[in-house]
């Protein structure tokens, strides 16, 4: 089987070489981008009188046939064709004859693959944003129902201050907004056409790069061809964007796993999104969030992999770059299924508000409120107030009660400046609702935050 580039060779490569060198097993995923890129290129060549009208028509019709063959499963993907670019061009030429041989005028596989892969990644930036929005919608539904559901807010995984569950989920919504913005900014920065850069230095043909850029939906043409054919920043960016998003998903997943335990019992995942054990009949395992946590590691691997591939490359295109695709394909698929299953798991989970509330009655969550009371009502410096409150906590421990249930007489023994009105400041509800500073957990503030997310999703 003769290779397209066989002119200067006297012996043909081995099967082993084909196997090692080929990307056709995975880059065939880019067939739509490749065919659209070729149609745009040919359309421009005709406009510039490099192809005739007749040739353009043949190319466009031929490519439509190739596309139909690929989509019906008829197309023969052969390792000996090396990559999808050559496989498609070869098949096109077999269908339409000589006009097919003119398609590659003023083009190289180097700008061709840069166009195909870049457009795939750009599209995925968009599609992932849409999937994040759907997840956010579901989180918002749950959050909106629970702006008065109190649970212990934690630092160091220790009970800290009471917050509401809507506020807790709002933290994740904030993360997902940042994720969306990252995907969108990558899209804007990278929506630049590589087509016409040819192998590395441009072409002597009278091409119109702005035309192909326009036909393919790019905002502009790239500035420097040498950079463009070897630039894979767009791929690294989507890997980083997915990695960061998965890190957020992983943190939420970790909480879902914890909350599903008997020790927390804050939520119960639905049967549809839980799994059993092959040996312990009683088990109901949170495999979904665990696997989401695990898959995050796999995505980081793809990011590290491509960063490493790129780090030592001289300009311009090097075959190393062919290693850019599989990690991105895998990360994108992982992101898509992760967003969808997390959305379903959240939509169908049960929130055990009673257990959340009970947990808030352990650990003296309103201790800071006592200190704040001493500052605000008794004009005691905060450091001193902190100490007095510590005494009150110690007393509660001794009495084996929560600080929110302490009797006034004990507080007055500790410091005579304390008034009876202190008790209402010590309730867990009051403590949560007292945090009315901007961005705070008070139900009114939480509702404002959730309204922001609702509007954000509406405007998008
Ligand atoms: N299959 C190659 C890749 O994925 C296409 C570009 C090949 N270019 C070349 N000059 N060998 O990167």
């Amino acid at each position: 089987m003769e290779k397209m580039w066989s002119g200067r060779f006297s012996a043909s490569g081995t099967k082993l070489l084909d196997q090692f060198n080929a990307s056709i097993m995975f880059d065939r995923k880019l067939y739509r981008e490749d065919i659209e890129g070729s149609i745009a290129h040919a359309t421009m060549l005709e406009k510039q009188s490099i192809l005739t009208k007749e040739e353009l028509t043949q190319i466009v019709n031929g490519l439509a046939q190739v596309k139909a063959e690929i989509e019906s499963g008829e197309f023969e993907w052969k390792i000996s064709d090396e990559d999808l670019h050559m496989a498609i061009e070869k098949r096109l030429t077999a269908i339409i004859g000589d006009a097919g041989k003119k398609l590659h005028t003023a083009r190289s596989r180097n700008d061709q693959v840069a166009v195909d892969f870049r457009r795939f990644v750009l599209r995925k930036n968009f599609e992932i944003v849409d999937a994040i929005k759907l997840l956010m919608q579901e989180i918002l539904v749950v959050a909106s129902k629970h702006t008065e559901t109190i649970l212990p807010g934690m630092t160091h995984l220790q009970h800290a201050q009471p917050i509401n569950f809507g506020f807790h989920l709002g933290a994740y919504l904030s993360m997902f907004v940042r994720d969306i913005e990252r995907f969108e900014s990558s899209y804007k920065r990278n929506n630049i056409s590589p087509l016409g850069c040819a192998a590395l230095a441009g072409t002597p043909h009278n091409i119109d790069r702005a035309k192909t850029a326009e036909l393919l939906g790019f905002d502009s043409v790239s500035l420097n061809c040498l950079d463009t054919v070897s630039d894979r920043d767009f791929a690294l960016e989507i890997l980083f964007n997915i990695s960061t998003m998965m890190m957020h998903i992983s943190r939420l997943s970790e909480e879902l796993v914890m909350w599903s335990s008997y020790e927390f019992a804050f939520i119960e995942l639905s049967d549809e999104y839980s799994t059993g054990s092959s040996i312990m009949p009683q088990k109901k395992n949170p495999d979904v969030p665990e696997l989401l946590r695990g898959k995050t590691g796999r995505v980081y691997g793809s990011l590290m992999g491509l960063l490493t591939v790129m780090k030592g490359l001289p300009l311009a295109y090097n075959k190393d770059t062919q290693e850019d695709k599989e990690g991105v394909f895998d990360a994108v698929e992982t992101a898509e299924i992760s967003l969808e299953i997390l959305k379903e798991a959240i939509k169908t989970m049960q929130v055990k508000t009673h257990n959340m509330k009970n947990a808030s009655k352990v650990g003296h969550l309103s201790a800071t409120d006592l200190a704040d009371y001493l500052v605000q009502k008794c004009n005691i410096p905060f450091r001193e107030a902190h100490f007095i409150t510590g005494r009150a906590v110690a007393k509660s421990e001794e009495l084996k009660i929560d600080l929110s249930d302490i009797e006034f007489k004990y507080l007055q023994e500790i410091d005579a400046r304390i008034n009876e009105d202190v008790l209402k400041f010590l309730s867990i509800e009051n403590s949560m609702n007292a945090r009315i500073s901007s961005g705070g957990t008070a139900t009114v503030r939480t509702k404002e935050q959730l309204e922001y997310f609702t509007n954000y999703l509406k405007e998008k």
Side-chain angles (χ1 to χ4, degrees):
M1 187 63 56
E2 229 172 57
K3 302 279 191 211
M4 268 181 187
W5 39 255
S6 66
R8 63 102 67 217
F9 289 81
S10 46
S12 48
T14 62
K15 267 215 167 83
L16 179 62
L17 171 68
D18 282 351
Q19 221 175 5
F20 184 67
N21 197 37
S23 55
I24 198 162
M25 310 75 84
F26 51 85
D27 65 14
R28 48 198 266 195
K29 203 180 173 81
L30 301 173
Y31 79 89
R32 265 185 251 110
E33 285 80 7
D34 198 71
I35 288 173
E36 286 163 10
S38 288
I39 290 174
H41 182 63
T43 304
M44 179 278 292
L45 291 179
E46 188 277 329
K47 198 177 143 270
Q48 299 302 99
S49 309
I50 299 169
L51 289 179
T52 66
K53 267 206 162 55
E54 173 64 27
E55 287 165 337
L56 172 62
T57 307
Q58 286 181 317
I59 287 172
V60 170
N61 293 340
L63 285 171
Q65 185 181 326
V66 173
K67 185 161 180 249
E69 288 175 5
I70 293 173
E71 286 174 351
S72 70
E74 236 175 283
F75 193 90
E76 232 192 301
W77 297 101
K78 284 190 286 212
I79 274 214
S80 57
D81 284 338
E82 197 175 315
D83 58 28
L84 99 149
H85 319 296
M86 291 198 288
I88 290 178
E89 189 187 318
K90 199 170 119 194
R91 179 69 191 128
L92 174 71
T93 304
I95 299 169
I96 67 172
D98 281 350
K101 295 184 186 167
K102 292 193 176 179
L103 174 61
H104 213 50
T105 312
R107 187 175 74 169
S108 154
R109 274 185 298 154
N110 297 350
D111 59 343
Q112 191 176 357
V113 73
V115 169
D116 295 359
F117 193 36
R118 188 179 284 254
R119 287 186 69 232
F120 172 85
V121 166
L122 288 170
R123 174 160 62 83
K124 288 299 173 184
N125 272 301
F126 251 133
E127 290 177 9
I128 292 173
V129 163
D130 286 343
I132 297 175
K133 285 189 218 155
L134 294 178
L135 168 63
M136 286 179 72
Q137 294 283 13
E138 280 320 321
I139 297 178
L140 248 179
V141 170
V142 180
S144 305
K145 279 188 207 147
H146 293 288
T147 55
E148 286 170 34
T149 302
I150 295 179
L151 79 165
M154 301 199 184
T155 62
H156 313 268
L157 203 59
Q158 303 289 321
H159 288 203
Q161 290 173 350
I163 58 175
N164 71 72
F165 193 46
F167 180 71
H168 194 115
L169 292 176
Y172 287 103
L173 292 171
S174 298
M175 296 178 216
F176 291 129
V177 167
R178 289 199 295 278
D179 289 329
I180 288 179
E181 279 161 11
R182 253 186 297 275
F183 283 107
E184 288 182 343
S185 101
S186 290
Y187 178 88
K188 278 196 206 102
R189 184 170 31 263
N190 294 304
N191 195 16
I192 291 171
S193 176
L195 198 53
C197 281
L200 72 164
T203 170
H205 294 281
N206 176 30
I207 60 169
D208 180 354
R209 292 190 62 200
K211 183 71 201 167
T212 46
E214 182 202 317
L215 290 171
L216 292 171
F218 288 112
D219 289 335
S220 58
V221 300
S222 70
L223 188 64
N224 178 297
C225 292
L226 195 61
D227 169 43
T228 309
V229 289
S230 70
D231 168 25
R232 293 296 180 273
D233 292 3
F234 61 93
L236 289 167
E237 282 189 34
I238 200 168
L239 287 172
F240 176 76
N241 297 345
I242 292 173
S243 293
T244 307
M245 179 194 83
M246 288 300 293
M247 176 269 289
H248 295 148
I249 285 179
S250 185
R251 291 184 70 179
L252 175 52
S253 297
E254 165 61 13
E255 301 210 286
L256 295 177
V257 171
M258 260 180 354
W259 292 341
S260 302
S261 68
Y262 281 115
E263 285 67 24
F264 275 87
F266 284 2
I267 60 154
E268 185 171 338
L269 293 172
S270 68
D271 282 3
E272 296 107 292
Y273 291 100
S274 299
T275 46
S277 157
S278 60
I279 174 168
M280 296 166 281
Q282 84 284 11
K283 290 291 297 281
K284 181 171 171 185
N285 292 331
D287 283 23
V288 168
E290 289 172 69
L291 207 42
L292 287 168
R293 221 170 39 188
K295 284 187 186 291
T296 303
R298 169 195 184 107
V299 168
Y300 293 179
S302 297
L303 172 61
M304 286 307 136
L306 185 55
L307 279 169
T308 310
V309 164
M310 296 306 294
K311 73 179 270 291
L313 298 187
L315 290 170
Y317 178 84
N318 298 272
K319 189 75 172 204
D320 315 44
T321 323
Q322 181 166 288
E323 290 292 313
D324 59 359
K325 291 172 206 59
E326 287 158 292
V328 169
F329 292 157
D330 185 81
V332 162
E333 267 168 41
T334 303
E336 288 172 338
I337 193 164
S338 297
L339 286 164
E340 188 173 357
I341 200 156
L342 178 57
K343 174 184 65 141
E344 293 304 317
I346 285 179
K347 186 174 167 179
T348 56
M349 78 183 181
Q350 185 198 338
V351 181
K352 299 179 161 176
T353 56
H354 190 69
N355 294 343
M356 289 183 174
K357 179 146 194 204
N358 283 345
S360 310
K361 293 286 285 181
V362 183
H364 319 291
L365 291 187
S366 54
T368 317
D369 298 85
L370 176 54
D372 288 334
Y373 168 89
L374 295 170
V375 170
Q376 286 178 328
K377 303 272 171 168
C378 310
N379 204 20
I380 296 173
F382 182 78
R383 199 42 65 208
E384 198 187 330
H386 188 288
F387 181 79
I388 297 167
T389 306
R391 302 281 312 281
V393 168
K395 186 72 196 172
S396 308
E397 289 273 306
E398 186 194 314
L399 296 166
K400 296 192 173 17
I401 55 165
D402 188 71
L403 178 66
S404 59
D405 291 329
I406 198 166
E407 281 177 62
F408 176 57
K409 63 175 182 193
Y410 296 116
L411 292 173
Q412 219 186 16
E413 271 168 29
I414 292 168
D415 196 299
R417 288 170 289 183
I418 300 176
N419 256 307
E420 196 153 7
D421 67 345
V422 70
L423 293 182
K424 72 168 188 282
F425 293 91
L426 295 186
S427 82
I428 297 301
E429 287 76 12
N430 180 81
S431 174
M432 187 273 282
N433 276 316
R435 291 183 160 64
I436 51 164
S437 56
S438 169
T441 189
T443 297
V444 277
R445 291 290 163 269
T446 298
K447 283 185 174 160
E448 284 169 8
Q449 292 161 35
L450 298 185
E451 201 179 298
Y452 170 85
F453 297 121
T454 306
N455 291 334
Y456 180 86
L457 292 175
K458 246 190 249 154
E459 280 159 24
K460 284 266 149 191

